[in-house]
Amino acid sequence: MLTKRIIPCLDIKDGRTVKGINFKGLRDAGDPVELAKQYALKGADELVFLDISATLEGRKTMLDMVLKVAEHVNIPFTVGGGISSIADVDALLKCGADKVSVNSSAIKRPELINELANKFGSQCVTVAIDAKQINEDWIVHVAGGSIPTKLDLFSWAKEAEKRGAGEILFTSMNNDGTKDGFANDALAKLSRELNIPIIASGGAGNIQHFVDAFQKGNADAALAASVFHFAEIEIKDLKQDLKANKIAVRL
Amino acid sequence: MKIVIIDYGAGNIKSIQFAFKRLGYDAILSNNPEEIKAADKVIFPGVGEASSAMQMLKESTLDALIPTLTQPVLGICLGMQLLCKATEEGNTTGLGIFDVQVKRFENTVKVPQMGWNTISDLKSDLFKGIKNQEFMYLVHSYYAENCNEAIATTNYGLAYASALQKDNFYGVQFHPEKSSIAGEEILKNFLNL
């Protein structure tokens, strides 16, 4: 049986791991290669590296770090941040990244998703979407969540799927940094309306939140940062509790 | 031992090279027929779309070379699928080593399958020391049907062949280079074949 994935996310700035609380007020949580190795040993199913400085400042994700991670880590990982062309993706995959995630650049030029899917296959194209619920609507935001667009989360996600996205990484800006749980209603709707895997992101504070993301949100994977980086939740404990809740996990 | 990873421009081959490095072996990336023929072990990788990968193989004439190899050959992911008779992806004719069709998953499951699933019915020395229902990492939209040449099966909506073998040719749908310690054990087993 395909298991639900637990994905620590390492936000990267200047080669170091950071975690933005509501995308502001960064805290340093260590060396990405060391953290990645630790997470592989602790039972993480996958890792995501997001160069959070990339979109805001036009900085490219450091290929050196990707190469080092690929050398030392025996689980898959995704790299995101500032990716806007076939050449960017080609360089990352050649350094050993398994998947890339695109966000603002795909909103600016949706054909990018088609180009990447045609060239490298859908399986390595994750479309990351930051969205904020304003009244009843989920509005997609860009540039690290700072600029609202006119796009609706669900229609944009469906378009991304149609264009060849292999999975959707949905971050709820209402939930991110709150530790009050994932945006389960929106997740469930995404999972219902799309036929590609959905990664839940934003709001993890305790183990029950992960149970809910899988049971109520029907997410295929759940991503979190600070609860893992600061050892507030151990991945082994989390997976044991998920299993006790009859959720398929790799233990 | 001389390990060659066939480099025909398809996908993430660095990870396979690094996995061998972690096991203490230097694997060479090559598209040179003489170098590939002279290898003790050959890895046939592949990530991406089947018809364009096959096109790249043809351009480098490796499509003719690969079926003539006599040393152990391990196809990984799309590499395994290209060793099959044909795949629905881009209506591509494969190299025909394995007598099996590659089909797209039905939309009753999420496509692609992405993540860790178990392998069962293990039938080869490739899986020596690997427990039944071990977890492997898989990312794919197309699958090889269960068949006589299956040496492992996985369930995703249906039971399909997640590993195949015929003579010196082996194929795995999963990514051993990304499947933690158990995956590295399978690569080690391949080197010991």
Side-chain angles (χ1 to χ4, degrees):
Chain A
M1 191 179 194
L2 181 67
T3 56
K4 301 289 188 184
R5 289 171 280 155
I6 298 299
I7 308 177
C9 175
L10 293 84
D11 288 353
I12 306 294
K13 193 179 184 193
D14 304 325
R16 301 277 295 175
T17 310
V18 289
K19 170 62 189 171
I21 307 299
N22 278 332
F23 295 100
K24 282 172 196 154
L26 304 176
R27 286 163 78 184
D28 194 331
D31 168 37
V33 178
E34 274 311 302
L35 262 172
K37 273 166 81 172
Q38 285 295 316
Y39 280 132
L41 287 172
K42 284 168 184 266
D45 295 307
E46 205 175 304
L47 297 166
V48 168
F49 296 90
L50 284 180
D51 189 349
I52 56 164
S53 55
T55 310
L56 288 172
E57 298 164 32
R59 202 178 284 152
K60 298 294 175 192
T61 308
M62 287 151 289
L63 295 172
D64 274 0
M65 189 211 76
V66 173
L67 201 61
K68 272 188 212 138
V69 171
E71 186 172 353
H72 295 288
V73 178
N74 57 13
I75 59 169
F77 66 97
T78 304
V79 180
I83 296 165
S84 58
S85 69
I86 284 184
D88 292 342
V89 174
D90 193 48
L92 286 164
L93 297 181
K94 281 200 173 116
C95 284
D98 298 284
K99 296 185 261 182
V100 295
S101 85
V102 290
N103 189 335
S104 303
S105 56
I107 291 167
K108 204 187 275 174
R109 204 172 65 79
E111 300 76 28
L112 177 66
I113 302 170
N114 306 69
E115 291 166 13
L116 297 179
N118 290 339
K119 173 84 181 167
F120 306 105
S122 290
Q123 80 292 328
C124 70
V125 183
T126 301
V127 172
I129 306 177
D130 299 331
K132 190 176 189 176
Q133 191 175 25
I134 300 169
N135 301 319
E136 289 305 301
D137 299 322
W138 281 94
I139 307 295
V140 176
H141 283 59
V142 291
S146 57
I147 303 169
T149 68
K150 291 196 170 84
L151 293 171
D152 163 72
L153 163 66
F154 304 101
S155 41
W156 171 234
K158 270 185 274 190
E159 183 180 343
E161 175 182 33
K162 215 160 100 189
R163 288 181 178 277
E167 67 182 346
I168 300 288
L169 164 53
F170 160 51
T171 301
S172 162
M173 294 171 57
N174 304 72
N175 301 60
D176 198 58
T178 64
K179 299 199 175 187
D180 282 340
F182 295 94
N184 296 318
D185 291 345
L187 281 168
K189 191 172 172 187
L190 278 175
S191 203
R192 215 165 39 238
E193 295 192 359
L194 276 71
N195 200 48
I196 53 176
I198 309 293
I199 305 173
S201 161
N206 60 42
I207 287 177
Q208 186 60 39
H209 294 154
F210 288 87
V211 174
D212 292 344
F214 294 129
Q215 288 184 339
K216 295 180 182 163
N218 288 322
D220 299 283
L223 175 144
S226 56
V227 289
F228 296 139
H229 298 332
F230 299 105
E232 290 160 26
I233 297 176
E234 288 294 338
I235 292 172
K236 285 222 160 64
D237 300 340
L238 168 60
K239 285 189 161 182
Q240 257 145 16
D241 282 14
L242 290 173
K243 196 180 175 187
N245 280 280
K246 297 189 167 46
I247 295 165
V249 288
R250 177 179 69 108
L251 264 174
Chain B
M1 188 179 330
K2 194 171 172 197
I3 307 162
V4 169
I5 302 169
I6 301 178
D7 181 6
Y8 61 106
N12 181 352
I13 47 179
K14 203 82 193 166
S15 298
I16 303 173
Q17 195 178 27
F18 280 141
F20 283 116
K21 195 174 167 190
R22 288 195 295 273
L23 292 171
Y25 294 90
D26 282 324
I28 304 158
L29 307 180
S30 176
N31 62 358
N32 178 319
E34 292 310 313
E35 202 161 31
I36 295 168
K37 268 193 263 183
D40 298 303
K41 298 286 189 308
V42 175
I43 305 290
F44 178 34
V47 171
E49 200 274 326
S51 63
S52 48
M54 187 53 83
Q55 191 54 40
M56 287 191 275
L57 271 186
K58 283 181 178 159
E59 278 162 18
S60 50
T61 70
L62 293 170
D63 62 318
L65 172 76
I66 291 169
T68 68
L69 295 172
T70 54
Q71 67 274 59
V73 176
L74 179 65
I76 297 177
C77 195
L78 182 61
M80 182 207 87
Q81 296 187 355
L82 295 179
L83 289 173
C84 297
K85 201 159 62 186
T87 165
E88 285 182 359
E89 189 176 24
N91 276 323
T92 308
T93 304
L95 299 177
I97 304 291
F98 303 124
D99 187 22
V100 58
Q101 298 281 347
V102 177
K103 298 186 162 180
R104 193 174 196 277
F105 283 119
E106 298 286 335
N107 278 341
T108 50
V109 288
K110 287 196 175 183
V111 184
Q113 169 173 229
M114 194 176 289
W116 299 77
N117 201 336
T118 51
I119 52 171
S120 305
D121 309 313
L122 309 180
K123 279 181 202 152
S124 159
D125 281 350
L126 192 62
F127 301 119
K128 206 171 159 188
I130 301 294
K131 66 175 201 284
N132 190 41
Q133 307 248 314
E134 183 56 84
F135 287 101
M136 290 290 138
Y137 184 77
L138 300 132
V139 187
H140 60 124
S141 301
Y142 296 79
Y143 67 94
E145 292 184 290
N146 201 358
C147 61
N148 288 336
E149 287 157 350
I151 53 170
T153 62
T154 293
N155 265 288
Y156 190 59
L158 77 176
Y160 67 92
S162 48
L164 295 158
Q165 187 207 341
K166 192 192 178 190
D167 305 327
N168 57 313
F169 290 92
Y170 296 77
V172 290
Q173 180 62 63
F174 49 84
H175 287 274
E177 77 280 14
K178 289 287 171 178
S179 294
S180 194
I181 295 158
E184 288 170 351
E185 280 300 312
I186 291 172
L187 290 178
K188 215 188 289 175
N189 285 341
F190 175 70
L191 297 184
N192 290 331
L193 287 173

